[in-house]
Amino acid sequence: MRGGAGGIQLFSMRFLLLFSRQGKLRLQKWFTALSDRDKKKIIRDVMQMVLVRPPKSCNFLQWRDLKIVYRRYASLYFCCGLEQGDNELITLELLHRYVELLDQYFGNVCELDIIFNFEKAYFILDEFIIGGEVQETSKASVAKSMEEADSLQETMEEYLNKPTY
Amino acid sequence: MPAPIRLRELIRTIRTARTQAEEREMIQKECAAIRSSFREEDNTYRCRNVAKLLYMHMLGYPAHFGQLECLKLIASQKFTDKRIGYLGAMLLLDERQDVHLLMTNCIKNDLNHSTQYVQGLALCTLGCMGSSEMCRDLAGEVEKLLKTSNSYLRKKAALCAVHVIRKVPELMEMFLPATKNLLSEKNHGVLHTSVVLLTEMCERSPDMLSHFRKLVPQLVRILKNLIMSGYSPEHDVSGISDPFLQVRILRLLRILGKGDDDSSEAMNDILAQVATNTETSKNVGNAILYETVLTIMDIKSESGLRVLAINILGRFLLNNDKNIRYVALTSLLKTVQTDHNAVQRHRSTIVDCLKDLDVSIKRRAMELSFALVNGNNIRGMMKELLYFLDSCDPDFKADCASGIFLAAEKYAPSKRWHIDTIMRVLTTAGSYVRDDSVPNLIQLITNSVEMHAYTVQRLYKALLDDISQQPLVQVASWCIGEYGDLLVSGQCEEEEPIQVSEDEVLDVLEGLLVSNLSTPVTRGYSLTAIMKLSTRFSSLNRIKKVVSIYGSSIDVELQQRAVEYNALFKKYDHMRPALLERMPIMEKTATNGPSETVQTNGETDSTILDTKHLPSISQPASQANDLLDLLGGNDVVPIIQTTVPTKPASAGGELLDLLGDLSLTVIPPMTAYNKNGLIIEFTFERSNPNPNIAVITIHATNSTEADMTEFVFQAAVPKTFQLQLLSPSSNVVPAFNQGSVTQVIRVLNPQKQQLRMRIKLTYTHKGSPVQDLAEVNNFPPQSWQ
């Protein structure tokens, strides 16, 4: 499951999950290869653990061999699983940055935006993080990339004739 | 054929479903439509269909039939198709399916595409879920892109390289040239990902690590610029410039400085600067401080810097923000071994965290508190920890109880304090203590000879209050069985002795036997305790009655015990006093558990082991008395012979001890007995964990023409010794020296006196019984010196 033989990954994000208060998954990004069954189990377990936490709790908890860092933004929980050596505080900043990027793109982002435009949420994530590591620390840069990539999609005319999806 | 419904249309429809069944129905209908659309090889709407499939997949429905469609999308020329195709690949495909390899060619082409956003898609996908095979095939392309001047692609290529290295570590070398001027980049994205790449390489290879040490000055410079430079809107977070990059640089510095004096020296100043100048009002500043502290503790920093780091953690402990407190406790836990004194200074704050409302913090505080306990603070700390045990969640109780036992064992200021502490744990968290605590506690109590009366009194009083906590009940039963005589005779010195009669004690023990709250194990303990009291109390008839009643118990274990105890009363009454005698001091084995005389599940003790197999020994009653009278009665401790031949060593601990008994000093063997064709040789080993124990193996051989059957070897030693006889290999010594019977004797000789032994042999030879007694005095001096 970990990359390659030898070498212990001490700093690595294993997964990033977004889910609602009702336990509905809104986004899942996995940074290691796992079977569908394993993924489902992890999602179930982590959701269960996080959803029962009282409101003013610490944002970190220990689960199996991972640190879980989570934060609630309105009706959505942003949650990731880290390896032991990782810095939880900077991960909180990372989650916050992702929310800011979503907010920047959608303008006052809310859960519905992420439900109806989940693919965009993924695209934004992919401009921010690759393989569990941050690739760009400038908000403006991410915004620009998204804008330009979006513009490569079908023009308005094409869209009207043959809508994208 | 009408156009497939739009994605957002579908999402809207599905959200109107009121039940799970309704949703499932909608999904199935749509999946069917999508399937037929796929079958028709429809290019126009493939993208839309796959997008819908991905939505349904997120809801938890199977979507594997869309995998190939994702590949087709990736191969398409339209950017929209590629975007969804790659997303689908990342969500639906992984290296387990062979189908993923079909992506390799597409990715290769896209890595060389004219549009950087297409290249970006390919790099991202490869860097996220590329299998080892794909990585091997495409590493060259990634390496090329790592050298491009396009920062958009360079940063992605760096992280892709990280993934390649994680999957195929052997390929790390090929990325080395491209790392040459990565750090001279101005672009923060490239800088950040480059630092990540360098970190990965240094972690994996000591050679790379030494190679990259030369980058320390450059890294220090970059970090300095970040801190000193004015406000930079592009990377600012609450007044701090690019905290993500700062943290990654600090982490890389940590790895480079570890174990290396020069590098550590070179980064000393910048670390001090970051530590003192970083704004701590927001989380982001504290995140950087945290990373700085971790770095300072790991490298060879000068003591002033280390103290600074620990003080930062100390300040974190007082922070209002729970997260900060949690992180402080975690870090202090890591440093408590190396900087024990510095952490001790914050002990009272840490102990206060035990009272925190947050579960995560409480746990960390508990772990750290245990790490801080030492001989000086044991009394105060234990007070806090016992209070914590009282009030904490059940999840904590087992760990807390174990921790308290360990700490008490290590640092108990007095035996009385130790027993009191144990009592407190058993009464407040008695149902949560681990199973192995019971035998450990029994051993502890046995060895605290002068506290026996006090202990049994306290345990008895605890039983009167509450019989629901099994570990407490088990330890108490055991003690009452052993020291019941002290209890009724009111011998307690430590506190006011209570007045209790034999009948009252037996009432309590019998109460345990019938109570619904008692587990079968506990019942076993009480029955044995009652039996033991037969030699300590005078109410013999009552005890006999109880024992005979349980002879027909439904519980097989209880029944067996009762039957055997009954047999003791009936046929072997003369052996009863010896068998039920006070337990000797138990030797602590290397594994720190109870010695061979007690099995590790705490359920049986040696008297039970012995009595189980006693009926099979066929010697007449009077001879046993002879054994007791052997050396005039006063200076001999009679030995109980253990078991029937085929029974293996009674507890794993013994066997382990035997195997561990390889001593370097060779003690010469000796012949202990040679008469009538029977030769008994003794060979010696010294017990490694305990030099006071001599391990003797007897080898009995028979040179006559007839077998010696029903062979039984017994031994007795003077009172200053303790002896234990393990099971013989068999009870037939074959004729004509065709084989031997071996048996192991362990002798504890703490006073190092000259070893002497009296042995008794019985066997049947050519139909007639033979018996002989002999003294063995010719032990080589090395065996007892």
Side-chain angles (χ1 to χ4, degrees):
Chain A
M1 202 161 72
R2 296 206 179 161
I8 304 162
Q9 284 168 228
L10 287 179
F11 317 118
S12 192
M13 200 185 302
R14 295 258 199 104
F15 56 80
L16 178 72
L17 304 172
L18 264 67
F19 50 88
S20 70
R21 292 252 339 121
Q22 288 75 41
K24 288 244 179 222
L25 189 67
R26 299 300 179 207
L27 186 143
Q28 54 175 325
K29 192 79 181 176
W30 300 91
F31 301 113
T32 55
L34 289 168
S35 70
D36 258 353
R37 219 172 112 236
D38 286 341
K39 287 182 192 170
K40 285 206 167 114
K41 180 143 203 320
I42 292 176
I43 293 170
R44 220 177 19 243
D45 288 349
V46 170
M47 264 203 228
Q48 226 166 35
M49 259 190 322
V50 171
L51 289 172
V52 299
R53 300 274 283 185
K56 296 251 180 5
S57 310
C58 179
N59 294 97
F60 315 132
L61 44 95
Q62 193 71 25
W63 177 73
R64 296 197 195 164
D65 60 332
L66 296 179
K67 297 196 220 205
I68 305 290
V69 178
Y70 74 95
R71 192 164 235 161
R72 184 172 156 204
Y73 289 88
S75 58
L76 270 182
Y77 281 92
F78 286 69
C79 175
C80 56
L82 307 173
E83 310 242 349
Q84 285 310 315
D86 248 329
N87 180 333
E88 299 99 316
L89 298 179
I90 201 72
T91 309
L92 276 178
E93 292 300 318
L94 184 149
L95 291 176
H96 190 74
R97 173 55 65 89
Y98 182 44
V99 172
E100 284 180 322
L101 293 172
L102 289 169
D103 194 56
Q104 184 181 256
Y105 185 82
F106 289 108
N108 253 333
V109 68
C110 63
E111 190 182 345
L112 278 178
D113 290 321
I114 300 185
I115 294 170
F116 280 94
N117 302 284
F118 69 93
E119 84 280 8
K120 292 283 167 61
Y122 276 107
F123 297 155
I124 294 169
L125 186 59
D126 286 342
E127 288 300 319
F128 178 43
I129 289 174
I130 287 183
E133 306 282 357
V134 169
Q135 73 182 269
E136 181 55 69
T137 57
S138 154
K139 282 190 275 193
S141 191
V142 173
K144 179 157 163 272
S145 309
M146 279 303 291
E147 208 182 295
E148 291 185 7
D150 283 348
S151 72
L152 286 181
Q153 297 201 185
E154 273 56 59
T155 62
M156 224 33 196
E157 193 182 50
E158 285 174 53
Y159 182 87
L160 289 170
N161 289 334
K162 282 180 301 184
T164 336
Y165 44 83
Chain B
M1 165 101 194
I5 75 167
R6 310 243 200 104
L7 169 66
R8 317 219 192 277
E9 195 67 48
L10 177 69
I11 296 176
R12 213 167 289 131
T13 313
I14 291 176
R15 282 169 64 78
T16 62
R18 275 159 297 158
T19 64
Q20 185 74 6
E22 212 180 313
E23 183 184 276
R24 212 175 312 133
E25 210 185 299
M26 292 177 185
I27 302 250
Q28 272 169 355
K29 188 160 152 243
E30 185 57 37
C31 278
I34 291 177
R35 273 190 154 107
S36 42
S37 187
F38 284 161
R39 270 198 296 274
E40 287 166 25
E41 296 282 349
D42 186 314
N43 286 342
T44 324
Y45 296 111
R46 181 175 288 125
C47 186
R48 183 187 289 187
N49 286 327
V50 169
K52 286 187 287 186
L53 203 56
L54 293 180
Y55 178 74
M56 295 189 286
H57 176 253
M58 182 139 66
L59 293 178
Y61 296 92
H64 45 269
F65 59 91
Q67 285 167 357
L68 272 174
E69 302 300 313
C70 292
L71 294 177
K72 292 181 196 164
L73 283 175
I74 291 174
S76 154
Q77 291 311 308
K78 285 159 70 171
F79 181 70
T80 317
D81 283 352
K82 282 189 191 284
R83 239 181 168 186
I84 294 293
Y86 276 116
L87 178 60
M90 284 193 272
L91 288 175
L92 301 180
L93 287 171
D94 64 55
E95 52 193 58
R96 291 142 195 281
Q97 289 107 29
D98 285 333
V99 110
H100 83 278
L101 289 169
L102 297 172
M103 263 202 295
T104 315
N105 220 30
C106 281
I107 294 187
K108 189 169 191 172
N109 291 335
D110 283 343
L111 283 175
N112 292 302
H113 203 274
S114 49
T115 313
Q116 71 175 20
Y117 292 105
V118 174
Q119 290 173 293
L121 286 175
L123 279 170
C124 179
T125 307
L126 183 60
C128 229
M129 47 83 71
S131 64
S132 325
E133 297 96 324
M134 281 168 71
C135 286
R136 255 185 252 272
D137 286 339
L138 300 168
E141 305 296 326
V142 176
E143 198 260 344
K144 254 192 334 208
L145 288 170
L146 193 50
K147 296 190 281 210
T148 176
S149 53
N150 181 334
S151 47
Y152 177 78
L153 292 176
R154 211 170 181 200
K155 71 189 184 196
K156 290 185 192 266
L159 290 183
C160 199
V162 170
H163 181 81
V164 168
I165 292 173
R166 284 177 183 169
K167 282 302 209 185
V168 192
E170 305 90 74
L171 292 175
M172 183 162 43
E173 290 287 325
M174 75 183 280
F175 293 107
L176 189 52
T179 62
K180 224 170 178 163
N181 47 12
L182 275 178
L183 289 185
S184 16
E185 264 278 356
K186 290 281 178 270
N187 180 294
H188 279 224
V190 178
L191 265 180
H192 188 278
T193 57
S194 304
V195 173
V196 173
L197 176 59
L198 292 169
T199 308
E200 188 69 30
M201 293 168 104
C202 290
E203 273 186 294
R204 286 183 178 266
S205 157
D207 289 334
M208 290 285 182
L209 182 55
S210 2
H211 172 80
F212 285 124
R213 278 222 173 88
K214 61 178 191 263
L215 293 176
V216 170
Q218 204 173 359
L219 288 165
V220 168
R221 239 185 347 262
I222 299 173
L223 189 53
K224 194 160 190 167
N225 281 335
L226 284 173
I227 303 171
M228 305 297 273
S229 67
Y231 176 71
S232 142
E234 203 182 344
H235 302 107
D236 181 270
V237 178
S238 303
I240 295 182
S241 193
D242 208 337
F244 299 107
L245 182 56
Q246 288 195 34
V247 164
R248 283 323 289 245
I249 292 178
L250 284 164
R251 204 177 282 176
L252 181 54
L253 286 176
R254 176 150 89 244
I255 293 169
L256 294 173
K258 194 168 186 166
D260 187 88
D261 287 321
D262 292 330
S263 304
S264 301
E265 163 106 37
M267 53 181 87
N268 224 9
D269 285 345
I270 191 68
L271 289 174
Q273 202 176 353
V274 175
T276 40
N277 290 343
T278 308
E279 182 66 48
T280 58
S281 55
K282 293 250 175 90
N283 179 66
V284 59
N286 288 319
I288 295 175
L289 271 182
Y290 179 35
E291 196 73 35
T292 313
V293 165
L294 291 178
T295 300
I296 293 174
M297 299 316 292
D298 247 12
I299 64 171
K300 296 190 144 215
S301 43
E302 45 175 64
S303 59
L305 203 53
R306 289 182 90 82
V307 171
L308 181 59
I310 302 242
N311 287 343
I312 291 177
L313 291 179
R315 275 204 310 277
F316 273 7
L317 276 181
L318 300 167
N319 197 305
N320 282 331
D321 188 334
K322 284 205 180 66
N323 297 330
I324 313 273
R325 292 207 298 277
Y326 178 87
V327 145
L329 288 169
T330 310
S331 317
L332 285 170
L333 196 54
K334 282 194 217 141
T335 62
V336 74
Q337 303 304 332
T338 46
D339 296 82
H340 193 88
N341 292 330
V343 180
Q344 280 282 1
R345 262 177 246 135
H346 300 279
R347 196 178 67 243
S348 50
T349 323
I350 293 168
V351 165
D352 278 342
C353 289
L354 284 173
K355 305 194 183 86
D356 201 299
L357 296 165
D358 189 281
V359 160
S360 310
I361 291 182
K362 270 204 274 232
R363 181 162 280 280
R364 284 279 185 257
M366 181 182 82
E367 288 166 1
L368 194 49
S369 298
F370 279 124
L372 288 176
V373 171
N374 62 26
N376 293 328
N377 58 35
I378 179 75
R379 282 187 194 267
M381 286 298 274
M382 198 50 87
K383 245 203 243 145
E384 297 286 346
L385 289 166
L386 285 170
Y387 180 74
F388 177 68
L389 182 65
D390 268 341
S391 50
C392 68
D393 296 333
D395 310 326
F396 285 96
K397 293 216 190 220
D399 289 330
C400 190
S402 299
I404 289 178
F405 284 148
L406 255 146
E409 201 175 310
K410 273 202 258 185
Y411 301 113
S414 73
K415 284 232 153 93
R416 157 105 190 238
W417 181 95
H418 197 171
I419 304 265
D420 282 341
T421 305
I422 291 173
M423 289 292 307
R424 178 83 183 270
V425 174
L426 287 179
T427 47
T428 53
S431 2
Y432 298 97
V433 300
R434 299 224 161 82
D435 289 337
D436 61 355
S437 319
V438 174
N440 284 340
L441 292 175
I442 287 178
Q443 179 178 7
L444 174 68
I445 292 170
T446 310
N447 293 353
S448 319
V449 178
E450 64 278 14
M451 302 298 300
H452 285 169
Y454 172 70
T455 311
V456 69
Q457 180 161 299
R458 287 215 55 194
L459 284 168
Y460 178 75
K461 285 200 274 190
L463 270 190
L464 290 176
D465 274 334
D466 172 20
I467 59 167
S468 64
Q469 307 197 77
Q470 300 304 294
L472 171 63
V473 175
Q474 288 168 13
V475 174
S477 310
W478 190 92
C479 277
I480 295 174
E482 277 293 301
Y483 313 121
D485 48 324
L486 300 176
L487 184 59
V488 298
S489 62
Q491 282 181 24
C492 184
E493 287 170 359
E494 301 280 339
E495 62 175 23
E496 187 68 35
I498 57 174
Q499 310 281 32
V500 59
S501 69
E502 293 186 1
D503 274 321
E504 286 171 321
V505 175
L506 287 171
D507 281 341
V508 170
L509 287 176
E510 284 188 49
L512 294 175
L513 274 174
V514 301
S515 167
N516 286 337
L517 298 166
S518 299
T519 63
V521 169
T522 307
R523 290 205 178 90
Y525 269 91
S526 351
L527 188 59
T528 304
I530 293 175
M531 188 60 192
K532 283 195 214 172
L533 290 175
S534 72
T535 54
R536 293 156 175 75
F537 282 3
S538 51
S539 353
L540 221 52
N541 286 328
R542 181 172 176 180
I543 294 178
K544 278 190 190 171
K545 216 183 345 169
V546 175
V547 167
S548 70
I549 291 173
Y550 281 87
S552 45
S553 163
I554 297 178
D555 181 329
V556 174
E557 173 69 33
L558 227 44
Q559 189 192 106
Q560 181 172 6
R561 288 182 192 213
V563 163
E564 291 175 358
Y565 294 157
N566 239 342
L568 250 192
F569 275 127
K570 297 234 164 66
K571 287 195 272 176
Y572 300 101
D573 204 44
H574 52 279
M575 303 201 93
R576 195 164 41 87
L579 286 169
L580 302 178
E581 213 188 38
R582 213 42 122 235
M583 291 289 260
I585 305 230
M586 300 186 199
E587 272 299 310
K588 258 199 182 302
T589 61
T591 52
N592 212 37
S595 73
E596 313 79 58
T597 46
V598 178
Q599 281 192 354
T600 48
N601 63 7
E603 202 181 309
T604 60
D605 53 39
S606 68
T607 55
I608 294 177
L609 278 171
D610 300 336
T611 55
K612 262 192 189 168
H613 300 274
L614 209 47
S616 59
I617 295 168
S618 51
Q619 58 188 148
S622 53
Q623 289 199 334
N625 275 328
D626 289 347
L627 192 60
L628 292 175
D629 291 336
L630 258 185
L631 292 168
N634 274 352
D635 52 350
V636 175
V637 173
I639 312 310
I640 314 307
Q641 176 176 337
T642 56
T643 74
V644 168
T646 48
K647 188 180 180 307
S650 48
E654 294 174 282
L655 206 54
L656 288 172
D657 260 76
L658 284 174
L659 293 173
D661 283 349
L662 297 170
S663 160
L664 292 171
T665 56
V666 176
I667 306 167
M670 58 176 265
T671 305
Y673 179 91
N674 187 345
K675 213 160 138 186
N676 297 332
L678 175 62
I679 301 179
I680 298 185
E681 272 222 348
F682 282 6
T683 55
F684 299 90
E685 272 166 12
R686 197 140 282 275
S687 166
N688 256 340
N690 186 337
N692 290 334
I693 296 183
V695 180
I696 305 171
T697 308
I698 69 150
H699 306 260
T701 50
N702 166 12
S703 59
T704 70
E705 68 271 24
D707 292 343
M708 295 170 179
T709 58
E710 290 165 76
F711 179 79
V712 171
F713 174 91
Q714 288 169 289
V717 286
K719 204 159 190 175
T720 53
F721 299 84
Q722 282 187 46
L723 185 149
Q724 185 190 17
L725 203 50
L726 307 183
S727 344
S729 59
S730 87
N731 59 358
V732 175
V733 192
F736 300 116
N737 291 327
Q738 278 175 2
S740 65
V741 166
T742 56
Q743 193 163 5
V744 173
I745 312 171
R746 294 167 65 98
V747 182
L748 175 67
N749 182 7
Q751 294 179 24
K752 298 252 190 238
Q753 296 207 345
Q754 179 179 13
L755 184 55
R756 49 193 186 97
M757 200 185 275
R758 185 162 287 202
I759 62 177
K760 179 170 174 173
L761 309 156
T762 52
Y763 55 91
T764 304
H765 190 236
K766 294 183 185 167
S768 14
V770 179
Q771 182 191 299
D772 198 10
L773 291 168
E775 279 222 34
V776 184
N777 286 324
N778 54 332
F779 285 96
Q782 302 98 309
S783 65
W784 46 268
Q785 269 172 353

